[in-house]
Amino acid sequence: MDTLPVAAGDAADPLTPAQLRELYSLMVAVRHLDASAIAWQRQGIIPGYAPELGQEAAQVGSGYAVDTTRDFVFPTYREMGVARTMGVDMVAYMATHKASWHGGLYDPVKSRLAPIQAVVAGSVLHAVGWAHGQTLAGSADGKLGVALTYFGDGASSQGDVHEALNFAAVMKAPVVFFVQNNGWAISVPTERQVAGGSVAARAAGYGMPALQIDGDDVVAVVEATRRAFAHARAGNGPVLIEAMTYRRGPHSTSDDPGRYRSLDEERDGAGADPLERFRQRLLAEGIADEAFFAEALAAAKAEEELIRTGIQGLDSRPGTEMFDLVFQETTPVLQGQATNWREESEHV
C-alpha cells in the first residue's frame, strides 16, 4: 500500500555503502542488547522488560531517519532500538527498566527522545501536541521539526489514536505515526482486533497519506520514513506508516506466549530473520564481508557488557522522593512520615 507521493531532495537519496554497514552494526547492537536485557531480568538485575526480537529493522530504520537537531521522538515502552540508533545513553535509558527512575535518566530535550511511555497509545497525543507547536512557531528555513510517534497494532484500537489522527490531519501537524504491526496485541492476533486487518487503510478516513511497508527490510524502512518526514517537514501534514513485522517471543518478560501460540506457529509466522536477511544482502552486493560481520558482533558484545556494568552501578532512588515529588501539598501526616523516613534512613 503506497498512497504517498514520492519525496524529492535528500529524502530520496540512496543509502551509501557506509550507511548500510552502519545500519547493520546498529541492528547487531540492538539484537544483543535486547537479548541481554531479557537475561538481566531473569537474573534479577532489572524487574521487567519489553523485548523487541524481530523488530530491529523497523526500529533502527525509522530511528535512522530522525534529524536530532530539529525532530522529536515519542516512544512507547518497546523502542530501545530507536533510542540506541539515536545515540541515547543506554544505561540512562535502561534506568526505567531497573525501576530506578520513571521515564529514564537521559535528558529528553538534548536527546530528542521523550520519556518512555507505558500508557498504551499515550505517546501519540503528546507527539501531536508537540508537532502542532512546530506549526504555530514556524521555522526560519521553512522546514518544520517533525514528531515521530510509535504504537502497535493493538494500541491502534485505542480512542487516543483516533483523536490524535483526527487532530493532526485537521491541523496539518508535522507528525509521522509509525505503527509496528507485529502481529499480536499481547495474546490477541491482529485479525481479531484490527477491523479490516490494516491500520494503514484507516488513514484514508482522515484524508491522510499512508505507507504500508515491509518492516523487516531495514532499507525499505529508512526510505519510507525519510519520505514521510519530507512530506511532513514541508508543511503537508501527517503521514501514517504501518511497518509489517513480527514479535518473536513474549510481549514482555512477564508474558508466556506459549499460552496463545505454539513455537511452530511463531516460526511459521515470523518469516526470515531481519538481521540475517540484511546480512545476506550486504554479502551479495559486496558491501560487507565476514571480517566486518565479526567486528560488528564483537563491538556489540563489548557494548553490552559496558551497559550491564553501568546498570548494576545505578543506585536506588531515595525513598523520600515519594514525599518530595508526588504531592503538591503534603498533609501533616505525610510530613511526619517523611521526617520519620529521613531519620530512619540516616541510621541505616
Side-chain angles (χ1 to χ4, degrees), residues 3 11 26 50 53 75 88 108 112 141 148 170 209 212 227 246 258 299-300 315 323 329-331 344-345 348:
T3 59
L26 286 166
L53 179 64
V88 176
R112 312 303 286 178
D141 61 1
L148 174 62
V170 169
Q212 187 181 78
R227 291 174 59 196
Y246 194 88
D315 293 328
F323 303 107
E329 296 180 5
T330 57
T331 65
E344 291 176 3
S345 298
V348 173

Side-chain angles (χ1 to χ4, degrees), residues 4 16 64 76 108 127 129 168 182 202 210 228 236-237 242 272 274 307 320 328 330:
L4 183 67
T16 66
Y64 197 77
T76 71
N182 61 23
R202 296 177 180 175
N236 297 317
E242 183 178 22
I307 295 171
T320 53
Q328 183 174 0
T330 57

